[in-house]
Amino acid sequence: MVDDSPQPSSGIVPSAARDDARAAVRTVLDHAERLGVRSIIAGGPVFVLHGLISPRPAPAANLVIDPAGETALLGALGAEGWVPASMRPSLAPGGALGLRHVPSGALLNLYPLLPGFSVHPAVAFEHLWEWRVPMRAYDRDVAAVDRLVTMILAVHDNLGPRAAAPPPESVTAILLEHFLAEITNDELERVPVLIAGLRAEAVMRRFCASLGLPPMAARMPSRAYAQRRWALDEVGHGDRLLLASLDATPGYRGAVQRDVRAARRWMLARAPLELPHLLGTVLGASRRRRRRLREALGLSPAGGRRAR
């Protein structure tokens, strides 16, 4: 989450506009608390909290939310003037629901799931929630992701808008070198446990390699994860296998577990029949995700007005 945001405009933001944007994000936090939707701050301010980077302006707020509360929270935000933000296209939709607050111009990334963390999204959130740390942000006492999760998210190639344009290898290498110097023995011992719990073996291959840890065999994404990621009510072996390939760290080969090998054999036997379905899965994913987001915000399918 080093640069994980909707596409912001360039230039210096006036102080009054920054204050309005912060107030808009505070309202999001207030709505989440009122609705009982658990949320965890991530991104720029949390790097500062953990001493990983120096303070700097962040173009967007990043909030990981309990997926069970996604619909309720989006409904409240739609009533406050939040609309879908402009996002870069990507082959598989990222986990971020990019939002823009029309009155203030504030940008927000909501994460009901994190790409590559392919266990059931609710289970992934519980792992992050278990290790949350307290933080003061936006004039509120909030929960933030812990140091190790912050490191993992920083080198994650498939978060939100960055899925279309991952950072250059040189940029990630600098971060990895920095984290290698910063990580504690306790955090290092926890890495394999956390990655296995999140079912993030494939997307974390580069991170593990940089820490000198042996590669972990990747598993098939859970059905619930694939359904949310592709915005489909039903998914098959092919949909999940395709997602596993797209989520894997580019250029880093690794072993796979038995369920992935079985799915590959299944796919080889049915490839001609499955291809049209998979093309529809990929080509329609961003449109389906955007339609569902607009519906949750209470907006009409094409226009900007709230549905009646």
Side-chain angles (χ1 to χ4, degrees):
M1 287 185 181
V2 175
D3 182 22
D4 185 20
S5 61
Q7 301 176 48
S9 58
S10 60
I12 299 175
V13 180
S15 177
R18 286 199 303 269
D19 291 344
D20 289 345
R22 288 177 60 82
V25 177
R26 281 197 298 272
T27 302
V28 174
L29 297 172
D30 291 343
H31 278 304
E33 182 177 12
R34 176 178 61 83
L35 294 167
V37 180
R38 293 176 295 168
S39 62
I40 313 173
I41 294 281
V46 184
F47 280 85
V48 178
L49 172 70
H50 296 308
L52 297 173
I53 63 171
S54 57
R56 64 196 66 184
N62 294 279
L63 200 62
V64 184
I65 62 170
D66 183 348
E70 175 187 345
T71 301
L73 182 57
L74 286 174
L77 297 188
E80 293 283 346
W82 290 88
V83 299
S86 175
M87 305 287 278
R88 300 183 185 96
S90 60
L91 191 58
L97 301 176
L99 302 175
R100 178 175 59 87
H101 188 237
V102 175
S104 69
L107 296 173
L108 172 68
N109 291 319
L110 282 184
Y111 288 90
L113 64 77
L114 290 161
F117 296 2
S118 61
V119 69
H120 193 297
V123 175
F125 181 84
E126 292 300 336
H127 278 285
L128 303 188
W129 184 255
E130 179 184 359
W131 290 93
R132 70 193 184 281
V133 297
M135 178 182 178
R136 186 72 180 174
Y138 303 101
D139 300 321
R140 298 288 186 274
D141 292 322
V142 298
V145 293
D146 77 336
R147 241 175 66 106
L148 179 56
V149 173
T150 300
M151 295 181 193
I152 285 176
L153 296 181
V155 298
H156 195 310
D157 288 334
N158 298 313
L159 284 179
R162 289 199 299 142
E169 183 77 23
S170 58
V171 174
T172 304
I174 293 172
L175 289 172
L176 290 171
E177 184 177 351
H178 178 57
F179 296 155
L180 184 59
E182 290 282 343
I183 197 166
T184 66
N185 288 334
D186 288 343
E187 289 169 337
L188 193 59
E189 290 179 1
R190 194 178 133 222
V191 168
V193 178
L194 178 61
I195 289 176
L198 295 171
R199 201 177 291 192
E201 297 89 352
V203 79
M204 287 290 108
R205 282 173 180 161
R206 173 163 38 188
F207 186 67
C208 289
S210 71
L211 298 177
L213 298 174
M216 302 172 67
R219 291 175 286 173
M220 282 283 281
S222 69
R223 187 174 300 277
Y225 168 80
Q227 287 170 333
R228 278 181 170 264
R229 190 81 186 281
W230 289 126
L232 289 170
D233 294 331
E234 297 292 336
V235 291
H237 291 304
D239 301 308
R240 296 165 65 197
L241 186 61
L242 177 60
L243 199 51
S245 299
L246 293 173
D247 279 347
T249 304
Y252 286 76
R253 297 177 61 85
V256 296
Q257 293 195 18
R258 182 180 301 174
D259 58 350
V260 179
R261 294 195 296 270
R264 286 175 176 175
R265 291 193 297 269
W266 180 92
M267 187 65 191
L268 283 174
R270 297 165 177 80
L273 298 176
E274 283 291 306
L275 186 57
H277 168 76
L278 293 180
L279 284 174
T281 295
V282 172
L283 297 178
S286 293
R287 175 177 50 80
R288 290 191 301 269
R289 281 281 298 272
R290 191 170 182 85
R291 184 179 67 245
R292 289 189 177 189
L293 176 57
R294 294 188 65 85
E295 289 174 352
L297 290 168
L299 301 173
S300 61
R305 297 179 180 177
R306 291 185 60 78
R308 293 174 180 263

